[in-house]
């Protein structure tokens, strides 16, 4: 049983259902998410799309980016990710969640062992020796559902995590405000930048501007003053775009499609496995969105949870493999996702330090050293882990 039909829950359910495993996805909303959030996916995501049998369809709908640069606010380039590297792990594709989730769901709906219950809110969860359970409320009333395992894929405010650990979600909240927008603006193409994704370095106006669809929809995620209301931020948005976008456009020169302020956090749940209950993706950990580490790590959790649950189902592993899941996935967050995503945002607000930044220096080295370029192009694979190596073995886990 999976709680949450966000990208992580729906993909995990599809992977399990493809193996004939009975799986129910329980989602409180009556429709799939349309917020301007994840859109850019690197190898850990495309690897799982391939395993779920949806890669070709995702790739056909997706925008295939033309590279990533870091720039000063006036557009001057500081450095770019290496391009033209012949390595499958180098691919970055973009498909907004409001297209990706329905695409995955359309496959899941066709799986005979899968069920999606939209409009079903989990009110409570728990477990006993034989089952995990959830109490859900829908228009038909309240009921208790049971399953061998329960996966909390219910996002940053996870009810499943809350039922396990209360309000405790260790980590920190950044003293920064960001606003994510989707916008149609031809001015980015006219700027003549060779890269379609651009991180703009400025103490006050740091932001990301990137093309994310084939029909030229842009994601602009920018810094705002802290302590403003949503209405105040909305009122300031035209001034912000004038200050930050190439061509300094007025409101009649672009179409604002979505506008969503976010507080940003770096947090990791105390455990990602407690008995029959697992946590994946945002329910387990959060990071700021610069550099797209959030769902990248989330999909790596999904792949790991799938391999562990399939191993148990197929009799190839006992359930101590889930402790391994807990240990490895938490370590990946602590040693890779948290430090890298934290550096990703910090380098954006300090133009004085940018040339001394270790990552920027590595990008410069990659311009002339093919080995460094090759290494960097596959960097995202570090968040992955192959749990099938523990099949048919006694699994060593830390205490
Ligand atoms: C501005 C922004 C840009 C981002 N860009 C990227 C990017 O480019 N690449 C990337 O990798 N990551 C990115 N991220 C992060 C990414 O969006 C998240 O990591 C991802 O959406 C998390 O997916 P999820 O399935 O874990 O949770 P969610 O998408 O939050 O889904 C959780 C689901 O659970 C449901 N739910 C919650 N509570 C209950 C309940 N009690 N009962 C039943 N259902 C419930 C919710 O309705 C929801 O549908 C970005 C984030 C932001 C804010």
């Amino acid at each position: 049983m999976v709680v949450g039909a966000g990208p992580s829950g729906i993909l995990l359910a599809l992977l399990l259902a493809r193996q004939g495993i009975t799986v129910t996805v329980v989602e409180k909303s009556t429709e799939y998410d349309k917020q301007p959030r994840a859109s850019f996916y690197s190898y850990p995501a495309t690897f799982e799309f391939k395993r779920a049998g949806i890669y070709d369809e995702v790739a056909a709908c997706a925008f295939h980016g033309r590279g990533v640069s870091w720039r000063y606010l006036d557009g001057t380039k500081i450095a770019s990710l290496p391009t033209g590297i012949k390595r499958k792990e180098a691919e970055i594709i973009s498909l907004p969640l409001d297209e990706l989730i329905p695409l995955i769901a359309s496959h899941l709906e066709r799986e005979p062992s899968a069920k999606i219950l939209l409009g079903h809110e989990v009110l409570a969860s728990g477990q006993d020796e034989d089952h995990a359970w959830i109490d859900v409320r829908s228009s038909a009333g309240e009921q208790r559902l049971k399953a061998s395992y329960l996966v909390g894929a219910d996002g940053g405010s996870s009810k499943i995590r809350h039922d396990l650990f209360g309000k405790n979600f260790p980590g920190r909240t950044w003293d920064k405000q960001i606003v994510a927008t989707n916008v149609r603006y031809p001015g980015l193409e006219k700027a003549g930048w060779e890269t379609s994704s651009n991180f703009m370095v400025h103490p006050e106006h740091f932001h990301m501007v990137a093309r994310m669809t084939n029909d030229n929809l842009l994601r602009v995620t920018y810094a705002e003053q802290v302590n403003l209301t949503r209405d105040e931020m909305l009122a300031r948005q035209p001034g912000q775009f004038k200050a930050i976008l190439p061509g300094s456009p007025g409101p009649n020169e672009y179409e604002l499609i979505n506008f969503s302020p976010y507080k940003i956090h770096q947090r990791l749940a105390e455990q990602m496995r407690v008995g029959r209950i697992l946590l994946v993706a945002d329910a387990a950990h959060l990071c700021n969105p610069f550099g797209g580490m959030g769902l990248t790590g989330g999909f790596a959790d999904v792949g790991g949870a799938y391999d562990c649950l399939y191993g148990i189902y197929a009799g190839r592993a006992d359930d101590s493999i889930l402790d391994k899941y807990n240990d490895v996935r938490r370590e990946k967050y602590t040693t890779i996702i948290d430090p890298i995503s934290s550096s990703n945002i910090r380098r954006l607000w300090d133009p004085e330090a940018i040339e001394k930044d270790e990552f920027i220096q590595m990008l410069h080295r990659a311009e002339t050293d093919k080995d460094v370029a090759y290494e960097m192009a596959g960097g995202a694979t570090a968040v992955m882990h192959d749990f099938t190596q523990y099949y048919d073995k006694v699994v060593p886990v830390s205490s």
Side-chain angles (χ1 to χ4, degrees):
M1 199 156 51
V2 176
V3 178
S8 64
I10 207 97
L11 183 63
L12 176 60
L14 180 60
L15 286 161
L16 294 168
R18 293 280 202 220
Q19 298 294 344
I21 298 174
T22 303
V23 57
T24 302
V25 182
V26 180
E27 165 59 49
K28 72 174 172 189
S29 180
T30 50
E31 55 176 24
Y32 300 116
D33 189 18
K34 292 195 169 60
Q35 295 297 308
R37 296 199 292 161
S39 185
F40 300 92
Y41 313 106
S42 53
Y43 188 68
T46 55
F47 178 82
E48 300 307 338
F49 296 158
K50 280 180 190 154
R51 294 209 295 170
I54 56 170
Y55 172 79
D56 290 345
E57 205 179 318
V58 173
C61 304
F63 171 64
H64 296 251
R66 289 194 322 266
V68 183
S69 288
W70 284 256
R71 298 176 186 276
Y72 295 112
L73 200 56
D74 67 1
T76 310
K77 191 173 85 176
I78 300 164
S80 297
L81 278 185
T83 50
I85 311 292
K86 297 267 172 289
R87 187 174 178 183
K88 68 177 187 308
E89 294 90 348
E91 184 181 34
I92 298 176
I93 59 173
S94 169
L95 190 65
L97 286 183
D98 63 350
E99 292 182 53
L100 179 67
I101 298 174
L103 187 158
I104 303 175
S106 70
H107 286 267
L108 187 61
E109 282 155 13
R110 281 176 257 153
E111 288 297 329
S113 65
K115 215 188 305 178
I116 309 175
L117 302 177
L118 295 179
H120 284 63
E121 182 177 7
V122 173
L123 304 174
S125 60
Q127 57 188 313
D128 55 37
E129 223 166 86
D130 301 321
H131 292 104
W133 55 263
I134 51 175
D135 288 338
V136 293
R137 180 173 52 208
S138 68
S139 55
E142 291 188 15
Q143 59 179 320
R144 177 163 288 197
L145 302 177
K146 291 182 175 181
S148 305
Y149 292 96
L150 169 65
V151 179
D154 50 342
S157 308
S158 171
K159 172 69 180 148
I160 306 303
R161 187 189 66 240
H162 189 270
D163 286 348
L164 292 172
F165 307 116
K167 285 192 179 147
N168 197 22
F169 193 11
R172 62 193 194 282
T173 297
W174 293 93
D175 180 22
K176 301 281 176 192
Q177 175 70 53
I178 63 162
V179 176
T181 62
N182 291 350
V183 57
R184 287 193 198 285
Y185 172 54
L188 185 67
E189 292 296 310
K190 289 187 196 143
W193 297 348
E194 73 283 25
T195 46
S196 54
S197 288
N198 302 279
F199 292 102
M200 311 302 287
V201 179
H202 190 272
E204 180 194 352
H205 290 304
F206 67 89
H207 67 282
M208 183 199 79
V209 51
R211 181 173 158 183
M212 61 175 181
T213 64
N214 289 314
D215 64 351
N216 256 322
L217 189 64
L218 304 185
R219 166 65 49 80
V220 181
T221 302
Y222 60 90
E224 241 313 350
Q225 289 176 14
V226 292
N227 298 329
L228 297 178
T229 63
R230 186 183 193 281
D231 285 349
E232 286 167 336
M233 286 187 250
L234 192 56
R236 285 167 53 85
Q237 172 273 318
Q240 290 279 14
F241 275 19
K242 206 164 191 55
I244 67 177
L245 289 182
S248 299
N252 55 350
E253 294 173 83
Y254 54 81
E255 186 189 356
L256 186 67
I257 311 286
N258 288 87
F259 173 94
S260 220
Y262 289 101
K263 290 303 288 176
I264 43 178
H265 317 269
Q266 305 288 134
R267 294 186 186 275
L268 171 64
E270 274 177 56
Q271 302 292 333
M272 288 173 66
R273 184 254 169 126
V274 178
R276 296 176 174 279
I277 302 177
L278 299 184
L279 298 176
V280 296
D282 277 21
H285 44 73
L286 295 174
C287 66
N288 78 81
F290 290 96
M293 296 293 288
L295 195 49
T296 300
F299 281 149
D301 292 347
V302 163
Y306 160 61
D307 282 330
C308 293
L309 292 170
Y310 174 71
I312 296 168
Y313 169 81
R316 306 280 307 273
D318 66 37
D319 87 346
S320 65
I321 198 170
L322 300 178
D323 288 331
K324 198 74 191 165
Y325 167 83
N326 178 63
D327 287 353
V328 172
R329 294 314 318 161
R330 291 187 78 257
E331 194 204 350
K332 293 287 185 190
Y333 179 85
T334 311
T335 59
I336 301 172
I337 295 167
D338 181 31
I340 291 184
S341 61
S342 295
S343 304
N344 284 347
I345 189 169
R346 279 198 195 103
R347 80 170 56 87
L348 296 187
W349 64 65
D350 196 352
E352 303 295 316
I354 193 82
E355 280 300 344
K356 288 194 215 95
D357 183 274
E358 219 176 286
F359 175 75
I360 297 292
Q361 288 186 353
M362 217 151 106
L363 290 177
H364 288 320
R365 279 206 299 285
E367 287 164 15
T368 53
D369 186 329
K370 280 192 183 139
D371 293 339
V372 176
Y374 188 85
E375 193 62 28
M376 290 192 86
T381 57
V383 304
M384 301 167 77
H385 186 83
D386 178 7
F387 288 89
T388 65
Q389 66 186 286
Y390 310 115
Y391 286 4
D392 305 316
K393 286 183 192 151
V394 176
V395 183
V397 288
S398 66
S399 55

